[in-house]
Amino acid sequence: MVTSIIDGKDYASRLRGKLKSAINDLKDKYKITPGLAVVLVGNDPASEIYVRNKGIQTKEAGMNSFEYRLPESTSEDDLLAKVEKLNSDKSVNGILVQFPVPKHMEQQKIIERILPSKDVDGLHPVNSGYLASGLKGLVPCTPQGASLLIKDTLPSLSGLHAVIVGRSNLVGKPIAQLLLRENCTVTICHSRTKNLKEVCLSADILVAAVGIPEMVKGDWVKDGAVVIDVGINRLPAPEKGEGKTKLVGDVDFVEAGKKSSAITPVPGGVGPMTIACLLLNTLAATCSQNNIDFSDFEL
Ligand code: NDP
């Protein structure tokens, strides 16, 4: 089977282009500029890079980007007070607190303090409830990106068997809900699943969101399946030089690619979709807060 490589970088770049022109239209027609606030507590190097990239892409799309960098020693109460302030700030349409937060803070408490209408990460229980009920709401960015790539790859998802390995609130569960919405038959697997290889072998669409490098092997993949690798794992790469690292996914890309009809690479697959979908959510939130029909925009 000759597999095709699903180019998330290209899809994300096209989506950002469409968002930019939608935001231009919004400015012309309604005199509104969407605003995204990102709060970073501490100096985690990976989070620093994410936040910087989010800021750059937010501005490139024509939105206002507000960045707040708080010291590691910030108390949970002070962070919650910051969130409250952003909740009531009319120029802020979307709020994202970069996770992980320092250990002395409770992540769920912070998620639940963000107004559901500004929760562009889609993690508030109100938004996960909407998603589980098949209602409109803000959907977590990475699952949304994965679902867009699957829909772009397959002409129809109806009746296909989707197997999701991973059941986190951030990735696994929302992907399952999105594929259920597309009329897939969905199986969710996790660390206690029995016969995982056999379950994966029955998948028309196999999604890996585990966090274990190359766990999904080539002989777990049915001939012709579409394989979506959400995993991002950084491993040492001495072959590239001393102290160098490389990114690998949760799927053995080379072996799985011999069986699949289409597969996402790491990097360059699902990863680039996350920020593009964050911008999409910020536009959707802005429209909903201003009673503007989001479907007016061609995205
Ligand atoms: P979590 O650690 O929150 O969840 C991992 C899931 O995998 C859990 O449901 C766990 O099961 C399951 N799991 C662990 N070990 C096994 C096993 N041996 N067999 C079957 N299932 C197993 O991770 P996330 O969902 O947050 O992230 C998953 C991956 O996606 C990571 O590699 C992460 O880096 C990546 N990611 C990528 C993003 C992107 O922008 N592209 C964004 C977010 C995440 P159980 O529930 O039973 O413990």
Side-chain angles (χ1 to χ4, degrees), residues 11 14-23 148 279-281 283-284 287 294-299:
Y11 189 109
R14 284 184 282 123
L15 178 56
R16 289 198 308 273
K18 289 190 231 170
L19 282 165
K20 191 172 178 168
S21 69
I23 288 157
L148 287 173
L279 304 179
L280 184 65
N281 276 353
L283 178 61
C287 289
F294 180 56
S295 60
D296 279 357
F297 300 103
E298 278 184 29
L299 292 164

Side-chain angles (χ1 to χ4, degrees), residues 252-266:
D252 180 338
F253 178 76
V254 173
E255 293 305 315
K258 291 178 185 164
K259 305 285 286 301
S260 60
S261 59
I263 186 166
T264 56
V266 177

Side-chain angles (χ1 to χ4, degrees), residues 1-5 197-198 200-206 216-228 251-264:
M1 168 82 48
V2 177
T3 197
S4 65
I5 309 295
K197 174 181 170 183
E198 281 68 33
C200 290
L201 267 169
S202 69
D204 302 306
I205 301 167
L206 179 57
V216 174
K217 306 298 177 203
D219 63 357
W220 295 25
V221 177
K222 179 164 98 174
D223 276 329
V226 169
V227 178
I228 303 294
V251 175
D252 180 338
F253 178 76
V254 173
E255 293 305 315
K258 291 178 185 164
K259 305 285 286 301
S260 60
S261 59
I263 186 166
T264 56

